[in-house]
Amino acid sequence: VQLQASGGGWMQPGGSLRLSCAAAGRTWSSATMSWFRQTPGKEREFVAGMRWSGGNKDYAYVDSVRGRFTISRDNGKNTVYLQMNSLKPEDTAVYYCAATPKRLISSSRSNSGQYDYWGQGTLVTVSS
């Protein structure tokens, strides 16, 4: 399985960006996919995750992005998105998508060690 992340770039505070993570090589009927981010000198931080099984989905967000970021999935394209609105300078980071065929419970979703596959990272810079 290969994950290809894209959509990063520069944006002014208050603006929006949408990240994409396309999964190639396998389609899962149930799985967990999430977004993490990392800044220099800091550990990788969980941002948002979703798990699905058939038509059932549930979501989790870190408190700092809840209400501003939305994770979603396009089944037909085997792609997960992260819509980021009301961006703040503190959202600046390299964003990584991650996936596992395990259906992780909410408390496990933030554990980067639970994921089997990672994208290459896409840089998001928020500044004026």
Side-chain angles (χ1 to χ4, degrees):
V1 175
Q2 290 187 326
L3 303 180
Q4 181 69 41
S6 61
W10 173 85
M11 179 54 63
Q12 291 183 333
S16 298
L17 285 173
R18 188 178 78 159
L19 306 183
S20 301
C21 178
R26 187 170 179 178
T27 300
W28 292 308
S29 58
S30 64
T32 304
M33 287 186 73
S34 296
W35 288 93
F36 288 74
R37 64 188 180 187
Q38 190 169 25
T39 55
K42 292 189 176 181
E43 291 188 358
R44 199 165 290 189
E45 173 193 35
F46 172 81
V47 176
M50 66 179 297
R51 69 172 184 177
W52 66 88
S53 178
N56 297 316
K57 303 175 187 177
D58 65 85
Y59 309 89
Y61 297 91
V62 68
D63 287 345
S64 60
V65 308
R66 188 173 289 112
R68 300 189 296 121
F69 291 10
T70 302
I71 187 170
S72 62
R73 178 175 176 253
D74 183 326
N75 294 355
K77 295 182 179 179
N78 212 22
T79 298
V80 169
Y81 302 97
L82 185 67
Q83 178 67 43
M84 305 186 295
N85 299 328
S86 302
L87 283 163
K88 303 177 180 180
E90 51 263 43
D91 295 319
T92 296
V94 177
Y95 284 71
Y96 298 89
C97 58
T100 175
K102 301 187 293 284
R103 294 183 67 245
L104 299 178
I105 61 175
S106 183
S107 60
S108 296
R109 231 165 286 178
S110 60
N111 182 349
S112 61
Q114 293 285 343
Y115 295 85
D116 301 294
Y117 308 101
W118 290 85
Q120 82 284 9
T122 184
L123 177 62
V124 172
T125 303
V126 184
S127 71
S128 54

